[in-house]
């Protein structure tokens, strides 16, 4: 069960695009406002491809289409850097040009190097909760690099505007609002996903213990799963729904409730069966070790009772297993459907 949001979703803390009252097509390298607007337009082109990528991810497009959108984003960043680098200095002032080009260079490195590492981490992230946290931490570190470069660029932009008498007007248009919304969706989805994944992974450990018939491991895993699931429900209560939409939170809660029910209802039946199975094997071996004429009435009665207990245990075990498999399937499908629905409804659609 792969993490639904790809890493780049939280990668780029894109510029709040600075709007200047000069149109990009009027670009004049000798007018500071026009000079800045031309650079701002490069930001917009990158943001468009960023939204195109996140839209493909959030709306369940094919893996090929998603990867093509990512490549388009990398190409757009490279082209923007080339365009800005080829601009002349404005009245001898290279600061804005060079700072912007450097920002694009860092972004390209992040997309090609750090992102590549994150994609590789994605393959092992499902192996444990710690691995998933490491995967998400790698995203945070990459995002932090971008944010630091962005902060430096915005400071340079303000100083350049001040030095050359350009009045900056910060406005939010549809494009920048969609980019901001995509970031909010990522942050919220990650919080809820980690709550779900912690119990989801622990339940896999429990299943492994059941397969091995390791009663001690079953009890330990069961108690841990119960703890994680109960804690998860409390965390959900403290996590406000994004856009007043409880879809994701509801899908997570239902899965956690299944895990709690599993721990308190089905698992005790299974451990009881394994204990009965151990007891039956001991009685059977002792009974078969005696010749028929050596067996007492108590031996026969004890053996017959063990057989009855074992038969009942098998029926109870099979019933619990069926309930468990059906419940698990419903819980996982419920989470996946809730996640897909939430992303499809709220992820900004773009191209």
């Amino acid at each position: 069960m792969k993490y639904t949001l790809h890493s780049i979703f939280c990668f780029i803390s894109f510029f709040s695009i600075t709007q200047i009252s000069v149109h990009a097509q009027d670009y004049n390298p000798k007018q500071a406002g026009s000079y800045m607007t031309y650079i701002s337009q490069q930001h917009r082109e990158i943001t468009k491809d960023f939204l195109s990528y996140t839209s493909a991810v959030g709306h369940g497009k094919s893996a090929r289409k998603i990867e093509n959108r990512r490549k388009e984003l990398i190409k757009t960043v490279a082209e923007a850097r080339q365009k800005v680098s080829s601009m002349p200095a404005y009245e001898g002032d290279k600061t804005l040009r060079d700072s912007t080009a450097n920002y694009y260079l860092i972004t390209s490195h992040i997309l090609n190097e750090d992102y590549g590492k994150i994609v590789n981490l994605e393959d092992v992230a499902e192996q444990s909760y710690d691995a998933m946290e490491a995967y998400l931490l790698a995203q945070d570190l990459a995002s932090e690099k971008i944010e630091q470069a962005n902060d430096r660029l915005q400071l340079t932009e303000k100083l350049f505007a001040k030095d050359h008498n350009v009045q900056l007007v910060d406005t939010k248009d549809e494009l920048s609002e969609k980019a901001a919304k995509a970031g909010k969706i990522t942050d919220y989805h990650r919080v809820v996903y980690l709550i779900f994944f912690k119990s989801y992974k622990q339940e896999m450990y429990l299943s492994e213990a059941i397969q091995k018939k390791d009663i001690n491991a079953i009890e330990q895993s069961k108690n841990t799963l119960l703890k994680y699931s109960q804690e998860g429900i409390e965390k959900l209560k403290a996590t406000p729904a994004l856009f007043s939409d409880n879809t994701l939170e509801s899908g997570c809660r239902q899965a956690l409730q299944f895990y709690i029910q599993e721990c308190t209802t089905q698992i005790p039946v299974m451990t009881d069966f394994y204990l009965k199975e151990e007891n039956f094997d001991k009685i059977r071996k002792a009974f078969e070790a005696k010749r028929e004429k050596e067996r007492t009435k108590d031996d026969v009665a004890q053996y017959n009772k063990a057989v009855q207990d074992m038969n009942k245990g098998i029926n109870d075990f099979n019933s619990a297993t069926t309930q468990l498999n059906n419940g698990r399937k419903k819980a996982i499908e419920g989470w996946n459907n809730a996640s897909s629905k939430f992303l499809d409804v709220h992820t900004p659609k773009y191209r």
Side-chain angles (χ1 to χ4, degrees):
M1 184 210 57
K2 289 294 184 181
Y3 180 47
T4 311
L5 290 180
H6 286 216
S7 47
I8 202 166
F9 231 50
C10 60
F11 233 32
I12 302 179
S13 182
F14 271 95
F15 341 75
S16 55
I17 302 167
T18 303
Q19 302 296 322
I20 306 171
S21 58
V22 179
H23 296 294
Q25 57 265 35
D26 299 330
Y27 170 57
N28 183 337
K30 296 183 179 180
Q31 293 180 1
S34 177
Y35 189 90
M36 295 187 72
T37 299
Y38 181 78
I39 292 177
S40 177
Q41 185 61 32
Q42 310 314 310
H43 301 351
R44 291 184 65 84
E45 293 305 313
I46 294 173
T47 305
K48 287 176 183 178
D49 277 358
F50 165 69
L51 284 173
S52 178
Y53 177 81
T54 56
S55 180
V57 173
H59 295 290
K61 300 298 183 182
S62 67
R64 177 177 294 182
K65 180 169 286 188
I66 290 171
E67 180 59 15
N68 286 341
R69 297 282 176 83
R70 187 179 78 86
K71 290 179 179 178
E72 288 173 9
L73 174 59
I74 293 174
K75 181 180 178 182
T76 300
V77 172
E79 290 175 348
R81 178 172 176 262
Q82 184 177 15
K83 288 179 181 179
V84 171
S85 297
S86 64
M87 294 174 69
Y90 182 76
E91 295 183 352
D93 188 345
K94 304 176 182 177
T95 56
L96 182 60
R97 181 197 68 185
D98 292 350
S99 182
T100 303
N102 185 59
Y103 177 86
Y104 292 150
L105 178 62
I106 293 172
T107 302
S108 293
H109 284 323
I110 295 294
L111 291 173
N112 285 290
E113 296 178 13
D114 290 69
Y115 180 78
K117 293 175 184 177
I118 289 173
V119 170
N120 292 332
L121 277 175
E122 187 175 20
D123 293 333
V124 299
E126 298 286 326
Q127 295 178 10
S128 71
Y129 181 77
D130 289 342
M132 179 57 72
E133 283 197 314
Y135 168 59
L136 296 179
L137 177 60
Q139 294 181 2
D140 289 339
L141 293 175
S143 180
E144 186 176 325
K145 291 180 184 179
I146 288 287
E147 289 175 3
Q148 290 172 351
N150 183 44
D151 289 343
R152 291 193 294 269
L153 175 56
Q154 293 221 1
L155 178 60
T156 300
E157 184 183 58
K158 291 177 181 178
L159 291 175
F160 183 91
K162 181 180 179 181
D163 290 343
H164 300 287
N165 299 315
V166 177
Q167 184 174 1
L168 300 181
V169 180
D170 293 327
T171 61
K172 290 186 177 181
D173 62 1
E174 183 180 5
L175 194 65
S176 59
E177 287 177 352
K178 283 185 176 181
K181 184 178 182 182
K184 290 180 181 179
I185 292 169
T186 300
D187 293 341
Y188 174 72
H189 189 281
R190 174 189 289 197
V191 169
V192 181
Y193 175 78
L194 278 177
I195 293 173
F196 164 78
F197 184 78
K198 192 170 188 177
S199 292
Y200 165 81
K201 192 62 187 179
Q202 184 58 39
E203 203 256 355
M204 293 183 69
Y205 298 145
L206 176 57
S207 296
E208 291 172 3
I210 291 172
Q211 291 295 322
K212 295 176 182 178
K213 299 183 179 182
D214 186 334
I215 295 176
N216 289 332
I218 291 172
E219 284 299 304
Q220 185 177 16
S221 295
K222 179 199 74 174
N223 292 336
T224 302
L225 176 58
L226 183 61
K227 176 186 174 187
Y228 286 172
S229 299
Q230 290 173 336
E231 289 176 348
I233 288 178
E234 292 304 310
K235 288 179 181 178
L236 286 177
K237 292 178 181 178
T239 304
L242 187 64
F243 310 128
S244 299
D245 185 345
N246 294 314
T247 302
L248 196 64
E249 179 262 351
S250 178
C252 182
R253 179 186 290 103
Q254 289 176 17
L256 298 181
Q257 288 172 338
F258 158 72
Y259 294 136
I260 291 173
Q261 178 184 330
E262 173 184 5
C263 293
T264 56
T265 304
Q266 282 87 34
I267 298 304
V269 173
M270 293 182 167
T271 53
D272 182 64
F273 169 73
Y274 290 143
L275 291 171
K276 286 179 179 178
E277 189 177 42
E278 286 183 4
N279 183 60
F280 174 75
D281 286 341
K282 290 178 183 178
I283 293 175
R284 179 181 57 79
K285 288 178 182 179
F287 185 78
E288 292 176 350
K290 293 182 179 181
R291 295 181 218 174
E292 188 173 345
K293 64 181 180 179
E294 295 175 338
R295 296 169 185 167
T296 66
K297 289 183 179 181
D298 287 342
D299 291 334
V300 173
Q302 184 184 40
Y303 177 76
N304 288 337
K305 184 178 184 305
V307 170
Q308 291 176 355
D309 289 344
M310 187 63 183
N311 288 335
K312 183 179 184 303
I314 290 173
N315 291 333
D316 292 343
F317 181 88
N318 290 337
S319 176
T321 300
T322 299
Q323 293 174 19
L324 193 56
N325 290 337
N326 291 340
R328 180 185 297 112
K329 180 181 178 182
K330 183 178 179 181
I332 299 303
E333 287 181 350
W335 162 258
N336 287 335
N337 290 337
S339 179
S340 296
K341 181 180 179 181
F342 180 84
L343 293 175
D344 190 50
V345 168
H346 297 291
T347 300
K349 292 183 179 180
Y350 192 81
R351 288 195 292 186

